[in-house]
Amino acid sequence: MNISKPISEELAKYLINLADKYETIKFFSGDPSCILCRYTCPEDLEVAAFIAAMLAFGRRDQFLPKTEYIMDLADKKGGPKAWLQSGDFNKDFIPSGIDSSAKFYRFYSYCQLIDLFSRLNTILNESENFGLYVKRCHSKLCQERIVVGKEEPLLAESISLCFKGCAIVPQGANSAKKRIHMFLRWMVRQNSPVDKGFWNWYEPSKLIIPLDTHVIQQGIKMGLLPLNATATEKTARILTDKLKEIWPLDPCRGDYALFGSGVDK
């Protein structure tokens, strides 16, 4: 399979039609992006979305209730930002009688979730909101890379560094960082019925597609990825570059086409 060949006009039209079909609130009602409909305040929504994205792996019927449990706790204390900023999660999150080392979801413990909340607490007490903090961190990292003559880092890399050592936030140079890229799609993409586009300081053309199993399978099936493609940053970049042939300014629109067709049985 020669993925170096340009996408055919026929395949391009097919992918555009799929994106039109699946980029809707209705289709994603059972998706982790449903968190985007829960809040109207951007400062609440961006931290709620980040928590939801970090838990978005495995089965939807398992991780969505976990997200709802956290948001229900937060809403009792004025919303996600207020709950995180006050530190009330330290007494609210772990049920009485539960060991903090017990698992909250899959291999992540209550203690590891508290670590994530504590990092967000520090961020929200140092900056006006989560987005502004990430923007400053990314600008600093970009300047450091310019000085040593390296390429501009991905925004996902900056977020990983903001949470260095935090078990629940994807790390590693070769990681596909699917959950971070999904969160960034929500925050950056403009004019979408699903994605909110609060972070208008970052260009959608620089986003990387969130690389999950369905996306990889559909990418291989449609000849956009090699047969041996695996979930790595390299694969995510290859697929993103292919989708730029159709959407040069907004390659992550292709996520709807590939993911939507992959899960729609």
Side-chain angles (χ1 to χ4, degrees), residues 22 24-37 52 56 60-61 63-64 67-68 178 182 185-186 194-195 212 214 255-256 259-260 263:
Y22 294 116
T24 66
I25 291 293
K26 180 180 179 180
F27 182 77
F28 281 82
S29 60
D31 185 77
S33 61
C34 65
I35 193 70
L36 304 178
C37 298
R60 294 183 182 188
D61 62 347
F63 67 72
L64 288 176
T67 300
E68 290 172 3
K178 172 254 179 177
M182 179 176 68
R185 197 201 78 204
W186 297 344
V194 180
D195 304 318
D212 83 333
H214 298 292
D255 186 30
Y256 290 97
F259 180 78
V263 299

Side-chain angles (χ1 to χ4, degrees), residues 136-151:
R136 289 171 178 165
C137 290
H138 185 63
S139 296
K140 180 180 178 182
L141 185 59
C142 286
Q143 289 300 317
E144 291 173 354
R145 294 291 172 84
I146 289 172
V147 169
V148 296
K150 293 185 177 180
E151 66 176 359

Side-chain angles (χ1 to χ4, degrees), residues 3-235:
I3 65 166
S4 64
K5 292 176 61 177
I7 293 176
S8 68
E9 183 177 349
E10 181 182 8
L11 179 56
K13 288 180 178 179
Y14 178 61
L15 287 166
I16 291 169
N17 287 336
L18 287 176
D20 290 341
K21 177 180 180 180
Y22 294 116
E23 190 177 2
T24 66
I25 291 293
K26 180 180 179 180
F27 182 77
F28 281 82
S29 60
D31 185 77
S33 61
C34 65
I35 193 70
L36 304 178
C37 298
R38 182 162 179 152
Y39 300 101
T40 56
C41 173
E43 294 179 351
D44 278 330
L45 198 152
E46 60 185 8
V47 289
F50 188 70
I51 293 169
M54 294 307 101
L55 289 171
F57 63 97
R59 289 171 48 182
R60 294 183 182 188
D61 62 347
Q62 292 180 347
F63 67 72
L64 288 176
K66 296 296 184 179
T67 300
E68 290 172 3
Y69 170 76
I70 294 170
M71 296 309 137
D72 287 345
L73 292 175
D75 289 347
K76 292 176 183 176
K77 297 297 180 67
K81 183 186 178 185
W83 186 64
L84 292 164
Q85 201 166 28
S86 68
D88 282 348
F89 55 85
N90 284 303
K91 60 179 185 290
D92 296 337
F93 177 62
I94 303 178
S96 177
I98 295 291
D99 186 339
S100 65
S101 64
K103 300 305 179 187
F104 173 71
Y105 176 59
R106 300 283 289 271
F107 39 79
Y108 291 129
S109 67
Y110 282 88
C111 185
Q112 288 171 323
L113 267 293
I114 287 287
D115 181 38
L116 174 66
F117 301 154
S118 296
R119 304 293 186 100
L120 289 168
N121 167 271
T122 300
I123 288 169
L124 293 174
N125 283 303
E126 288 183 1
S127 188
E128 183 178 338
N129 55 59
F130 184 40
L132 183 59
Y133 183 88
V134 172
K135 181 181 180 181
R136 289 171 178 165
C137 290
H138 185 63
S139 296
K140 180 180 178 182
L141 185 59
C142 286
Q143 289 300 317
E144 291 173 354
R145 294 291 172 84
I146 289 172
V147 169
V148 296
K150 293 185 177 180
E151 66 176 359
E152 179 181 325
L154 297 174
L155 186 53
E157 181 181 350
S158 296
I159 289 180
S160 286
L161 289 173
C162 288
F163 292 87
K164 188 175 181 179
C166 184
I168 197 169
V169 179
Q171 310 282 330
N174 198 40
S175 169
K177 298 184 178 68
K178 172 254 179 177
R179 288 172 284 151
I180 298 180
H181 289 304
M182 179 176 68
F183 167 74
L184 290 176
R185 197 201 78 204
W186 297 344
M187 293 298 104
V188 174
R189 287 192 70 245
Q190 306 287 314
N191 305 313
S192 168
V194 180
D195 304 318
K196 294 299 181 180
F198 293 141
W199 295 4
N200 57 12
W201 46 268
Y202 195 73
E203 298 173 24
S205 62
K206 295 179 180 179
L207 292 175
I208 299 293
I209 193 164
L211 199 65
D212 83 333
T213 302
H214 298 292
V215 170
I216 293 175
Q217 289 174 345
Q218 292 299 96
I220 293 172
K221 180 180 178 181
M222 297 182 191
L224 304 172
L225 287 173
L227 293 173
N228 61 349
T230 56
T232 64
E233 181 182 307
K234 180 180 179 180
T235 301

